[in-house]
Amino acid sequence: MLGTHVNLLLLAAENVVGHWRAYLVAAAGLVLPLALLLCGVAVSEGLKADAVASVDAGADLYCTWDMFGRDAPLPLDKIAPLADIDGVTRAVPRIIGRTIVGSAVVLVVGVPLDQIRRAAPQVDGRLPADGSEVLIGNELARITGLSPGKTIALDAHSLRLFTVVGVVRSTSTLWSAKAVVCDIDEAATVFGESGHVTDVCLYARAGYESLAAESIERVDDRYRVQTKSIVHNYVVRGMSIREGVFTILFALALAWAIPSFAILTYMGHTPRRREIGLLKAEGWRTAHVLEMVACENVIVAVFAAASATFIAIVWLRVFRAPLIAPFFVPDLPLFPNIVLPARFLPLPGLLALVFSLVVTMTGSIYTTWRTSITRPVDTLR
Amino acid sequence: MNAVPPLLRLIDVTRRHGAAHDPQSFALGPLTLDVLSGTWTSIVGRSGAGKTTLLQIMGGLDAPDTGRVVIANPDVSNGATGSPDVVRRFDIGFVYQQGVFVEHLPVWQNVAVRLIPAGVPARERRRRAAAVLEELGIGEMLDRRPASLSGGEQQRVAVARAVVHQPRIVIADEPTSNVDADTGSAIVNCLKGLQTRGSAIIVATHDSAVSASSDRCWHMESGRIVDE
């Protein structure tokens, strides 16, 4: 009994090799969309993990101001009461804005200097010692040629010159890859908003997050507070929706692969039809023929999924995910010049295998069955 | 009363190709025939007389429109008492008029292809194929591809495939046409050897030497046996 299955599997392997041209073309049609799909999912997972890690390592609460029912910058005099809330251990105001350096749109992040030192990001160079010094993101350094010791001009409301003293090295700071991190007072001057901050990051004692959030809203109902878990959920949901849309697009592309596979491997393929007719004439049961073809499909599907995974890794690591990356990070060009964070998880690989199996099985089993149940005299004609 | 029951029996078999009113259509039968174990039956007649159609129905490659084909007990026409696939695999060996092969497989795989679903290991399949091919004088061609063989060699491979499982019935459709005298002789000897071991040999042929050596000879015309 086992011998039959082993024989059929080995013959299937010989058939795949024997019909390698047809199978190669069919597998290539499968590999290309699968590779792009795996690449996209890996980028999405990488970005999601990055963002989640960033949220997890960040503040426990984020506090802004309510103006006309929407989030608005927080007046400076509203910061001090936050630090006095029971359970809050630290309140860090931030100014976050955008300006243009050269031709690049950059994110300006202003935080108190001591907080920069406290966060201790990994940098090439050193941390700023006073307000005239800034850190820049590695992508900004790459595209502008800035490096420690050079001067950068930030011009939003007023023009200010700063000395770059460090380049943030970490790859997990994609969001700040084109960022300038400076002292909060300098940021206020650059944007001409000395009376407000964008938000306040609050750190709370373990277990006090919810209590602190309720207490803040009791102090003044115009405070708008978001907990870490809410931000975490926003990030994950946003990424998942994008990934879902991406996967659906590729599922449709793969659906087109089914008839292509059928045409390339079976339908109208006279030698193949005669082969099946011969096997039937030689006493093979329809079940034997179907099992052999199913084995061929498994071989092709495993090959396609493995090839797709390999190509996806190369596409991502070597070529930096061209065509795919802009779908997930809209600011990126079609051919990105930064290495994106990516995670290759087992599940998408398994999904690729399942997709391949569905395409190959759907594209061949019915036509094989039809051929198998036809009288040998007709298929051998 | 016949002491030896027929191995193969056709009962009122008919088969039509094309519509009845079409002058180009062809009708076989009705035919009622018996074939006994250990006999050699030749079928002769002009091209288009119905020899191939009759052989295909006997071999279970085609089904009759009416009537029944009984091999021992299994009924290959409707599968009521035995699957045609099973009957073909165990009881029948068929030599096709034109070489039909799985082109990408080597000769030994083609010869032993019916042993694959039986679970016979590759080494044993190769050994059995080699033995038959040796008997037919082409033992050295085990690993060649069918397309690289001459017509005569292909015909011998086809015969080897039909007899490798020692079937009770061998049906051959013009096995010695388009082959040289030596090849024809090797094929006939191989089939004779099987006949002596009790198999029934049924051969459609234009070769008078083949038909002359048979136990019975059916002459066909327009789908009917007109002389025996």
Side-chain angles (χ1 to χ4, degrees), chain A residues 5-19:
Chain A
H5 302 304
V6 171
N7 284 351
L8 292 174
L9 178 64
L10 293 176
L11 185 64
E14 284 195 65
N15 287 344
V16 171
V17 174
H19 295 289

Side-chain angles (χ1 to χ4, degrees), chain A residues 21 50 60 73 87 112 168 192 208 227 235 249 323 356 372 379 381:
Chain A
R21 284 187 190 86
D50 235 27
D60 298 313
V168 179
Y208 276 75
T227 61
V235 167
L249 288 175
L323 309 175
S356 304
S372 293
T379 47
R381 190 166 287 150

Side-chain angles (χ1 to χ4, degrees), chain A residues 125-199:
Chain A
R126 62 176 175 78
L127 298 176
D130 59 51
S132 67
E133 297 175 343
V134 295
L135 299 177
I136 61 171
N138 49 28
E139 174 63 3
L140 181 61
R142 202 189 64 75
I143 60 176
T144 59
L146 288 169
S147 59
K150 292 194 174 174
T151 301
I152 182 173
L154 297 180
D155 182 10
H157 177 261
S158 58
L159 175 68
R160 302 281 288 175
L161 296 176
F162 298 93
T163 302
V164 176
V165 294
V167 177
V168 179
R169 194 189 303 157
S170 169
T171 55
S172 69
T173 53
L174 181 79
W175 319 103
S176 57
K178 286 199 286 187
V180 176
V181 182
C182 64
D183 179 50
I184 190 167
D185 295 332
E186 295 297 334
T189 307
V190 168
F191 290 107
E193 285 291 345
S194 55
H196 295 86
V197 294
T198 307
D199 63 3

Side-chain angles (χ1 to χ4, degrees), chain A residues 4 7 14-15 282-283 375, chain B residues 15 89 104 109 114 117 120:
Chain A
T4 301
N7 284 351
E14 284 195 65
N15 287 344
E282 290 297 304
R375 290 173 183 171
Chain B
R15 181 79 171 100
R89 193 186 330 153
H104 63 269
Q109 284 271 54
R114 74 172 65 227
V120 178

Side-chain angles (χ1 to χ4, degrees), chain A residues 17-37:
Chain A
V17 174
H19 295 289
W20 67 272
R21 284 187 190 86
Y23 275 121
L24 192 66
V25 173
L30 205 55
V31 166
L32 189 64
L34 276 180
L36 295 178
L37 173 67

Side-chain angles (χ1 to χ4, degrees), chain A residues 60-66 71 74 78 81-86 88 202 208-228 230 234:
Chain A
D60 298 313
L61 302 166
Y62 295 86
C63 190
T64 55
W65 194 243
D66 184 339
D71 273 341
L74 200 67
K78 299 295 180 186
L82 295 174
D84 297 333
I85 298 289
D86 188 28
V88 172
L202 299 171
Y208 276 75
E209 296 86 352
S210 301
L211 283 174
E214 288 170 14
S215 300
I216 291 167
E217 283 168 350
R218 274 202 298 274
V219 169
D220 191 325
D221 61 5
R222 291 185 69 187
Y223 283 120
R224 294 173 74 118
V225 183
Q226 288 189 320
T227 61
K228 183 184 282 188
I230 291 174
Y234 281 155

Side-chain angles (χ1 to χ4, degrees), chain A residues 97-112:
Chain A
R98 285 171 184 257
T99 187
I100 293 175
V101 173
S103 59
V105 176
V106 301
L107 199 68
V108 177
V109 181
V111 289

